[in-house]
Coordinates of all heavy atoms in Angstrom, one line a residue:
I1 N 106.6 64.0 104.0 CA 105.1 64.0 104.4 C 104.9 65.0 105.4 O 103.9 65.8 105.3 CB 104.7 62.5 104.8 CG1 104.8 61.6 103.6 CG2 103.3 62.6 105.3 CD1 104.4 60.1 103.9
A2 N 105.7 65.2 106.4 CA 105.6 66.1 107.3 C 105.7 67.6 106.8 O 104.9 68.4 107.2 CB 106.6 65.9 108.6
F3 N 106.7 67.8 106.0 CA 106.8 69.1 105.4 C 105.5 69.4 104.5 O 105.1 70.5 104.5 CB 108.1 69.1 104.5 CG 109.3 69.5 105.1 CD1 110.4 68.8 105.1 CD2 109.3 70.8 105.9 CE1 111.6 69.1 105.7 CE2 110.5 71.1 106.6 CZ 111.6 70.4 106.6
A4 N 105.1 68.4 103.8 CA 103.8 68.6 102.9 C 102.6 69.0 103.7 O 101.8 69.9 103.4 CB 103.6 67.3 102.1
V5 N 102.5 68.3 104.9 CA 101.3 68.6 105.8 C 101.4 70.0 106.4 O 100.5 70.7 106.4 CB 101.3 67.6 106.9 CG1 100.2 67.9 108.0 CG2 100.9 66.1 106.4
V6 N 102.7 70.4 106.9 CA 102.9 71.7 107.5 C 102.7 72.8 106.4 O 101.9 73.8 106.7 CB 104.3 71.8 108.1 CG1 104.6 73.2 108.4 CG2 104.4 70.9 109.3
F7 N 103.2 72.6 105.2 CA 103.0 73.7 104.2 C 101.5 73.6 103.7 O 100.9 74.7 103.4 CB 103.9 73.5 103.1 CG 105.3 74.0 103.4 CD1 106.4 73.1 103.4 CD2 105.7 75.2 103.6 CE1 107.6 73.5 103.6 CE2 106.9 75.8 104.0 CZ 107.9 74.8 104.0
G8 N 100.9 72.5 103.7 CA 99.4 72.5 103.3 C 98.6 73.3 104.3 O 97.7 74.0 103.9
L9 N 98.8 73.0 105.6 CA 98.1 73.7 106.7 C 98.4 75.2 106.6 O 97.4 76.0 106.7 CB 98.4 73.1 108.0 CG 97.9 71.7 108.3 CD1 98.4 71.2 109.6 CD2 96.3 71.7 108.3
L10 N 99.6 75.6 106.3 CA 100.0 77.0 106.2 C 99.2 77.7 105.1 O 98.7 78.8 105.2 CB 101.5 77.1 106.1 CG 102.1 78.6 106.1 CD1 101.8 79.3 107.4 CD2 103.6 78.6 105.8
A11 N 99.2 77.0 104.0 CA 98.5 77.5 102.7 C 97.0 77.7 103.0 O 96.4 78.7 102.7 CB 98.7 76.5 101.6
V12 N 96.4 76.7 103.7 CA 95.0 76.8 104.1 C 94.7 78.0 105.0 O 93.7 78.8 104.9 CB 94.5 75.5 104.8 CG1 93.1 75.7 105.4 CG2 94.4 74.4 103.7
F13 N 95.6 78.1 106.0 CA 95.4 79.3 106.9 C 95.6 80.6 106.2 O 94.8 81.5 106.5 CB 96.5 79.2 108.1 CG 96.5 80.4 109.0 CD1 95.5 80.5 109.9 CD2 97.5 81.3 109.0 CE1 95.4 81.5 110.8 CE2 97.5 82.4 109.8 CZ 96.5 82.5 110.7
I14 N 96.6 80.8 105.3 CA 96.8 82.1 104.6 C 95.5 82.4 103.7 O 95.0 83.4 103.7 CB 98.1 82.1 103.9 CG1 99.3 82.1 104.9 CG2 98.2 83.2 102.9 CD1 100.7 81.9 104.2
A15 N 95.1 81.3 103.0 CA 93.9 81.5 102.1 C 92.7 81.9 102.9 O 91.9 82.8 102.4 CB 93.7 80.2 101.3
Q16 N 92.4 81.2 104.0 CA 91.3 81.6 104.9 C 91.4 83.0 105.4 O 90.3 83.7 105.3 CB 91.1 80.7 106.1 CG 89.9 80.8 106.9 CD 88.7 80.4 106.1 OE1 88.7 79.5 105.3 NE2 87.6 81.1 106.4
S17 N 92.5 83.5 105.8 CA 92.7 84.8 106.3 C 92.4 85.9 105.1 O 91.8 86.9 105.3 CB 94.1 85.0 106.8 OG 94.3 84.3 108.0
W18 N 92.9 85.5 103.9 CA 92.7 86.5 102.8 C 91.3 86.5 102.4 O 90.8 87.6 102.2 CB 93.6 86.0 101.7 CG 93.5 86.9 100.4 CD1 94.1 88.0 100.3 CD2 92.6 86.6 99.3 NE1 93.8 88.6 99.0 CE2 92.9 87.8 98.4 CE3 91.8 85.7 98.8 CZ2 92.2 87.9 97.2 CZ3 91.1 85.8 97.7 CH2 91.4 86.9 96.9
L19 N 90.6 85.4 102.3 CA 89.2 85.4 102.0 C 88.3 86.0 103.0 O 87.3 86.8 102.6 CB 88.7 83.9 101.9 CG 89.1 83.2 100.6 CD1 88.8 81.8 100.7 CD2 88.6 83.8 99.4
N20 N 88.6 85.9 104.3 CA 87.9 86.7 105.4 C 88.1 88.2 105.2 O 87.1 89.0 105.4 CB 88.4 86.3 106.7 CG 87.8 84.9 107.1 OD1 86.8 84.4 106.5 ND2 88.4 84.2 108.0
G21 N 89.3 88.7 104.9 CA 89.6 90.1 104.6 C 88.8 90.6 103.5 O 88.2 91.7 103.6
Q22 N 88.7 89.8 102.4 CA 88.0 90.3 101.3 C 86.5 90.4 101.5 O 85.8 91.3 101.2 CB 88.2 89.3 100.1 CG 89.6 89.4 99.5 CD 90.0 90.6 98.9 OE1 89.3 91.2 98.3 NE2 91.1 91.1 99.2
A23 N 86.0 89.4 102.3 CA 84.6 89.4 102.6 C 84.3 90.6 103.6 O 83.2 91.3 103.4 CB 84.1 88.1 103.4
A24 N 85.2 90.9 104.5 CA 84.9 92.1 105.4 C 84.9 93.4 104.6 O 84.1 94.3 104.8 CB 85.9 92.1 106.5
R25 N 85.9 93.5 103.6 CA 85.8 94.7 102.7 C 84.6 94.8 101.9 O 84.1 96.0 101.7 CB 87.1 94.7 101.9 CG 88.2 95.4 102.5 CD 89.4 95.7 101.6 NE 90.4 94.7 102.1 CZ 91.2 94.0 101.3 NH1 91.2 94.2 100.0 NH2 92.1 93.3 101.8
Q26 N 84.1 93.7 101.4 CA 82.9 93.7 100.5 C 81.6 94.1 101.3 O 80.8 94.8 100.9 CB 82.8 92.4 99.8 CG 81.9 92.5 98.6 CD 82.1 91.1 97.8 OE1 82.1 90.0 98.5 NE2 82.1 91.1 96.6
V27 N 81.6 93.6 102.6 CA 80.4 93.9 103.4 C 80.4 95.4 103.8 O 79.4 96.1 103.8 CB 80.4 93.1 104.7 CG1 79.5 93.6 105.7 CG2 80.1 91.7 104.3
A28 N 81.6 95.9 104.1 CA 81.7 97.4 104.4 C 81.4 98.3 103.2 O 80.9 99.4 103.5 CB 83.2 97.7 105.0
G29 N 81.7 97.9 102.1 CA 81.5 98.7 100.9 C 82.4 99.8 100.8 O 83.3 100.0 101.7
P30 N 82.4 100.5 99.7 CA 83.3 101.6 99.6 C 83.0 102.8 100.6 O 81.9 102.9 101.0 CB 83.1 102.2 98.1 CG 81.6 101.7 97.7 CD 81.5 100.4 98.6
A31 N 84.0 103.4 100.9 CA 83.8 104.5 101.9 C 83.0 105.7 101.3 O 83.3 106.1 100.2 CB 85.2 105.1 102.4
P32 N 82.0 106.1 102.0 CA 81.2 107.2 101.4 C 82.0 108.5 101.2 O 82.8 108.9 102.2 CB 80.1 107.4 102.3 CG 80.5 106.8 103.7 CD 81.6 105.8 103.3

């Protein structure tokens, strides 16, 4: 159960970081 909780939290952190990066790239748009 402890391993499942740790890996679940790690997965959430990695997914959140990736989504934030994608959103920042989309807001910036392509380089002119």
Side-chain angles (χ1 to χ4, degrees):
I1 291 174
F3 273 127
V5 169
V6 168
F7 283 118
L9 291 174
L10 185 62
V12 168
F13 176 73
I14 291 172
Q16 186 66 32
S17 297
W18 182 78
L19 287 173
N20 287 340
Q22 292 297 318
R25 267 190 249 142
Q26 204 170 35
V27 168

